[in-house]
Amino acid sequence: MLVSQASSHGVELREGSRLRPIYDERGTFLGNDVVPMGWYAKGPDGGKAATADVVRKAMTPAPVDTIEEWLAELSVITARRAEDEFTGALRVDAYSRRLAGYPADVVKAALFDSKWKFWPTWAELAEVCDKAVAKRKAMAAALDGKDAARAASMAGEEHPERVSATRAAEIMAAAGFKPRTFGGEA
């Protein structure tokens, strides 16, 4: 959704990635894994500013009382150990204060889209929320120009280190390497 909103402001917002080879314990190549390398934004400054506003709005947290309602609902649909009223109120207060630092949709998704069999620990919830909000934070940094070096490198050629076969042969010859063929020397 945020990428399409960027496009409507004339901004290309793109996530960069690189391939990382995967090998088993014997060194056999198993394939590649896509590793995200961050986001970059390309377009007019006005469009970037407007898109940054949209991203910031998408970071708006829910009111604490709404989060407390969601936590109360979660407590009814998950298994948890018996506790007294004070401990329950303390748990809801501690979780709601921490969850108030995340966007509303991220909190609601973390609580209800994940199929919690038992009441989640704070570490479990924080992991889900952090993963969901990381992309938005990276987008905001790209739009604000805070990651300019990475953006510049990603906006350039796809494979700047590639050279033609002729140029590679010239480099090798200049370094003193002599090409060999299966039938002897070239």
Side-chain angles (χ1 to χ4, degrees), residues 9-167:
H9 293 289
V11 175
E12 179 187 357
L13 190 57
R14 191 171 63 151
E15 184 175 26
S17 60
R18 299 279 189 253
L19 293 178
R20 181 178 55 90
I22 303 170
Y23 300 94
D24 67 9
E25 62 278 353
R26 294 185 304 187
T28 305
F29 177 71
L30 301 175
N32 289 307
D33 189 21
V34 178
V35 179
M37 299 295 290
W39 286 79
Y40 88 95
K42 183 173 143 185
D45 289 340
K48 287 181 187 179
T51 305
D53 288 341
V54 170
V55 173
R56 277 190 282 282
K57 286 177 185 166
M59 297 290 284
T60 304
V64 173
D65 59 335
T66 302
I67 296 172
E68 289 174 351
E69 289 174 16
W70 293 339
L71 290 169
E73 183 179 343
L74 183 68
S75 73
V76 173
I77 61 174
T78 58
R80 60 189 176 91
R81 65 185 123 120
E83 58 189 25
D84 60 36
E85 189 176 326
F86 175 75
T87 305
L90 187 61
R91 178 189 316 276
V92 168
D93 182 61
Y95 275 61
S96 61
R97 280 186 292 110
R98 287 170 175 80
L99 290 170
Y102 293 97
D105 64 313
V106 168
V107 172
K108 191 168 187 179
L111 294 174
F112 299 114
D113 291 352
S114 301
K115 306 293 186 231
W116 302 111
K117 184 175 181 178
F118 299 99
W119 180 269
T121 65
W122 171 245
E124 292 169 326
L125 272 179
E127 181 180 346
V128 171
C129 291
D130 287 342
K131 185 176 180 181
V133 82
K135 186 178 279 192
R136 291 182 198 179
K137 287 182 177 179
M139 285 179 181
L143 289 163
D144 291 337
K146 292 181 180 171
D147 204 1
R150 179 179 289 154
S153 71
M154 289 172 61
E157 297 177 33
E158 284 295 314
H159 302 286
E161 70 281 354
R162 288 194 178 168
V163 295
S164 68
T166 305
R167 179 66 183 131

